[in-house]
Amino acid sequence: MVNNTTLPILSLVCLFTSISVLGQENSTWYSYGMEGDKQKITEYKDIITYESVREEESPYPARVDTVFIEKRINDSIYIVTNRTREGAIALMASRWLQDGAIKSIGIYYPRDDFESLETTYKEKGLPAWQELTRRWVFSEAKTKELDQAPGYDEVTREAMLGALSIRKEVTPYIKQYMTDNPDTQSWRMYRFVEVKAQQKFIELGYNPYKRVPYNFEKQFEGDEEIIKALTEPMSFE
């Protein structure tokens, strides 16, 4: 796992990182950015909008971006476009994790045209490494629950070990990703692990997006098992 003392937080380079598909029209969900910023996401018949959520009043309007649903392959897989970006056509796939509370969203096969995208999906389906790029979005009730949940500064030893265990779980997916994308920079591999660790912390009752000061190495100073896992280089060979 990556901690904030050894590697700066990096944003996953993905055309549609902040966008979710909700599976029903006129539904609203929320996502968190790496710094704890929140976005409100609403799906309509033909578009998905996402809007910055401000915790304090501002005289300026919140930014709203729009993604177009070009085709619904089924209830959980769409072809979407960001018309402000050249070549921003991709497959968006969703899956329930907690009924009514959490969904995971993945973006795959960015292309310049619909035909090649549909052909690729028909031939390959979703990639074997699909778990790596799935981001989580939350219902309003779950978001309120997360806002009240403890942050990284209150993580217990048991929870820390649980989150660190995801390295072993994601290694096969990372190997598959590297086979399909051999030119990928190593920082993205670290980023995949960090996101999966965040999701594990959510399962364990924490809010990994909470804006709190923390330093895992200081919090677990003297715990050889955790310190070794935090600081040893990750290998995906």
Side-chain angles (χ1 to χ4, degrees):
M1 199 185 74
V2 180
N3 77 65
N4 69 332
T5 66
T6 59
L7 184 70
I9 294 176
L10 298 167
S11 298
L12 183 62
V13 178
C14 179
L15 291 175
F16 302 92
T17 293
S18 303
I19 304 163
S20 78
V21 54
L22 314 174
Q24 62 184 40
E25 295 175 13
N26 299 342
S27 56
T28 298
W29 289 60
Y30 296 84
S31 69
Y32 288 86
M34 289 306 301
E35 300 297 329
D37 50 306
K38 225 180 279 182
Q39 291 178 328
K40 178 181 179 181
I41 307 152
T42 305
E43 179 181 344
Y44 301 94
K45 180 180 179 181
D46 299 316
I47 64 172
I48 301 168
T49 63
Y50 60 104
E51 176 182 355
S52 299
V53 176
R54 294 176 176 165
E55 301 300 331
E56 300 177 358
E57 292 186 5
S58 170
Y60 303 103
R63 175 178 174 177
V64 179
D65 290 316
T66 301
V67 167
F68 293 83
I69 302 171
E70 305 292 351
K71 182 176 181 178
R72 296 174 185 261
I73 295 176
N74 55 43
D75 289 342
S76 62
I77 298 179
Y78 303 168
I79 293 176
V80 296
T81 59
N82 184 333
R83 296 179 183 176
T84 64
R85 301 181 184 177
E86 184 178 355
I89 303 169
L91 194 74
M92 178 183 284
S94 67
R95 184 174 68 236
W96 284 107
L97 297 177
Q98 291 182 18
D99 189 23
I102 303 175
K103 291 191 85 169
S104 69
I105 310 302
I107 298 294
Y108 311 101
Y109 307 131
R111 293 290 188 274
D112 293 324
D113 63 274
F114 296 103
E115 291 75 14
S116 64
L117 175 59
E118 288 201 78
T119 298
T120 299
Y121 174 62
K122 288 177 182 178
E123 292 177 351
K124 298 183 178 181
L126 297 177
W129 42 263
Q130 60 178 283
E131 290 301 321
L132 291 181
T133 61
R134 287 186 173 274
R135 308 301 295 271
W136 286 12
V137 296
F138 309 95
S139 67
E140 184 174 9
K142 185 64 177 180
T143 300
K144 291 179 179 179
E145 180 183 318
L146 282 170
D147 287 344
Q148 299 302 314
Y152 278 157
D153 58 330
E154 300 182 62
V155 170
T156 65
R157 183 177 194 274
E158 182 181 9
M160 194 70 195
L161 289 173
L164 289 168
S165 72
I166 57 88
R167 285 186 178 184
K168 184 176 181 179
E169 297 173 19
V170 302
T171 295
Y173 299 125
I174 288 178
K175 289 180 178 179
Q176 292 165 343
Y177 186 91
M178 294 174 71
T179 298
D180 290 348
N181 305 274
D183 295 329
T184 301
Q185 295 180 332
S186 60
W187 67 262
R188 186 173 291 192
M189 304 300 107
Y190 284 81
R191 187 69 189 89
F192 286 150
V193 174
E194 187 175 21
V195 170
K196 299 307 290 184
Q198 288 176 333
Q199 294 169 356
K200 184 65 175 180
F201 275 120
I202 292 170
E203 291 177 351
L204 294 170
Y206 293 87
N207 180 354
Y209 315 111
K210 202 164 192 175
R211 293 172 174 168
V212 292
Y214 73 98
N215 184 317
F216 286 148
E217 290 183 32
K218 287 186 177 180
Q219 288 169 230
F220 295 98
E221 188 175 9
D223 191 316
E224 294 183 5
E225 182 180 7
I226 290 181
I227 295 301
K228 180 182 178 181
L230 282 171
T231 58
E232 65 182 354
M234 283 188 277
S235 175
F236 307 112
E237 299 298 326

